[in-house]
Amino acid sequence: MEGRFAARMQTVHRSFIREILKVTADPSIISFAGGLPNPRMFPVPAMEAAAGEVLSAMNGPASLQYSTTEGDPVLRSIIAERYAKKGVTVDPDEILVTTGSQQCLDIAGKVFLDKGDIVAIEAPGYLGAIQSFSVFEPTFVTVPLEDDGPDLAALEETFKAGAKLFYAVPNFQNPSGVSYSLEKRKAVAELLDRYDVVFVEDDPYGELRFMGEHLPPVYSFRKKPGLLNGSFSKIAAPGFRIGWVVAPGPVRDKLVVAKQASDLHTSTVAQAIMRNYLENNAIDEHVEAIRETYGAHRKVMVEMIERHFPKGVEFTRPEGGMFLWVTLPEGCSSMDLFDVAIKRKVAFVPGRRFTQTAGETTPCGSTFPMPIPNGSRKASPDWAKASGIS
Amino acid sequence: MEGRFAARMQTVHRSFIREILKVTADPSIISFAGGLPNPRMFPVPAMEAAAGEVLSAMNGPASLQYSTTEGDPVLRSIIAERYAKKGVTVDPDEILVTTGSQQCLDIAGKVFLDKGDIVAIEAPGYLGAIQSFSVFEPTFVTVPLEDDGPDLAALEETFKAGAKLFYAVPNFQNPSGVSYSLEKRKAVAELLDRYDVVFVEDDPYGELRFMGEHLPPVYSFRKKPGLLNGSFSKIAAPGFRIGWVVAPGPVRDKLVVAKQASDLHTSTVAQAIMRNYLENNAIDEHVEAIRETYGAHRKVMVEMIERHFPKGVEFTRPEGGMFLWVTLPEGCSSMDLFDVAIKRKVAFVPGRRFTQTAGETTPCGSTFPMPIPNGSRKASPDWAKASGIS
């Protein structure tokens, strides 16, 4: 049986970050590796109360039964209302609840990608997306990420070359921390419309802005809307695996079919607990508390880098989210630095792989990403074994 | 964007059963359609207690965090112990926890199926599996199911013709209710070994035997073990979406990579509740109660068919599970009968599609499946909208 694997399995690899995290399993290591939310910010008592109601004698039978592939309609309405508050108009029937936002990538791949299709991704780019799309054997082309978003000329080049799909994280990107400016959002939207490219806009961190002004998603500026992915992982808790994708009706219908083939539907119990939590708690206040905590950590991080890092080192100053990207001077290797740091009991994720995986080479190890420490700096064995890189 | 769907989306369809169920949304209809467990048998108070512990102040932060792709090691040990009680030796490290057993099919497809590979399936066969494998664009070949398992000569023909993968449900099959005899289990195992075919053995119903003797899975008779899928959906509750697959180490490693790309990991909260439930309750006693209830319903069903159905109608007499398959006399159409029955407020699933979907034709509508009524015969709107057919 071992000799009979599909061809795609030669290009789909285990998470690189996961391998790094094994090294950081030692609890004496201070880890800046990976994007794990701060568990101190999880709304534990509220979730306990929600679970109690959901699994009461009255509600239990329905909460434990099979449910629809589309997801709980009330949960979808709540998601739509939260978009509306931010000025984004979304019909609940255009929302599909997914098993984490990672599943949005899998089903988008299923619905859109034939072998050899060109997928444009940011460089550096989110490894989880590269892993997910790789299953469908596309050709990846990378678009350099600048301080305010993608290099527009390079992006247009990939579109001209026939890119079918563009995947991006316009807010506080994983791994760079970069956010798209308003101008670049509009420009990207215009290019997408002009070349009719399928856009998968991943936005798990958009609400975690601790400075600057909230900007609408690229989705808002489109004439032909694309896919907009969201998640409760960073604003409530990742352990439920509840994300969603917004897509125009005919596309959502295809995504529903793809999800049905993947896992029938997302956990009824998990959706019911999340819905009950949202109905009975002020999540916006909770998100505000997360923002304050993460913002304070980011401030310390930036100050410490400014104070202690040598001249010639550059780094992004993210306005939100969980990631910060450091660029080493020409000739320095982030892989070598990792070896030095780990001996001093400090871990980070070398940046090299974030572009290399896409099949291109970058100046060897000139960069490394570093997530903002968020209060749980010590790697637990569980986290070390965790596969999560979103 | 609508014009840019992948080629596979032309062959992956919405669940046929789901469409039938829309017709049965009317609560005045007595529905024998689909395989929904009886919600009266869900262990609601025990699950409520389990959720309370899992989301306590002490346990909550870990229960709500990201976790490993492989799944909770303690949950995997419990699954292995339950196999051991039935004489099946399984290493917990050979188990991968999945998001329902439907996901086992998706990741098996990812790991093994290249476009055009031959997949052998039973006729009639489980539609959810056909839907799931279709994503990977194989060629389906059907193997007729006899009263005691597959037609062995036909099975060997497909193996000789180069089948890469064989998918089967040897216990109380969906949709036929047929179980493989001991002899056929051994013979199938021998053929699989001889032709080195990847075997995906789906066993969601195996514990629901209400008569006859428990038989070991085909997995037990193999020299080269295949994949063995299991699920808590029918013995505890489907709403958690917790299934698993057993596979030899190198194969499990590939399945882990495929799952990581699909949804990172299965809900930490759902796994924690299920584990706590299993640690603190006697699930074997619970399963015994389900068996008694379903067995009583099956008895009534068989008696009523014998008493009221006209001569010339044949039907399976399942020894367990949830399904019973009726064969109409030559010339009768199950689609026509459906139209008549629905006017009389009775629904069932016409059997035609269970083989047609595989790309072959069968005598038009000569059969229809009918699940054993299990106490919740009235279709609720939720069930009508449910996609679940596993």
Side-chain angles (χ1 to χ4, degrees), chain A residues 120-170:
Chain A
I121 53 168
E122 301 158 307
Y126 172 51
L127 290 180
I130 295 169
Q131 187 189 31
S132 204
F133 293 137
S134 290
V135 168
F136 306 99
E137 303 173 90
T139 300
F140 287 106
V141 177
T142 58
V143 177
L145 204 53
E146 300 169 340
D147 284 349
D148 60 348
D151 175 332
L152 293 174
L155 187 65
E156 184 162 5
E157 275 311 304
T158 70
F159 289 3
K160 272 187 187 159
K164 187 179 203 179
L165 186 149
F166 177 40
Y167 169 81
V169 186

Side-chain angles (χ1 to χ4, degrees), chain B residues 290-324:
Chain B
I290 297 174
R291 269 196 289 261
E292 278 175 26
T293 302
Y294 285 17
H297 289 299
R298 181 271 194 197
K299 188 164 174 286
V300 173
M301 189 67 159
V302 167
E303 283 172 9
M304 291 301 114
I305 291 176
E306 282 171 345
R307 191 181 307 168
H308 298 291
F309 277 30
K311 284 227 190 305
V313 171
E314 291 174 12
F315 63 99
T316 58
R317 284 164 178 77
E319 297 190 326
M322 309 171 76
F323 305 97
L324 184 153

Side-chain angles (χ1 to χ4, degrees), chain B residues 238 268 358:
Chain B
T268 321

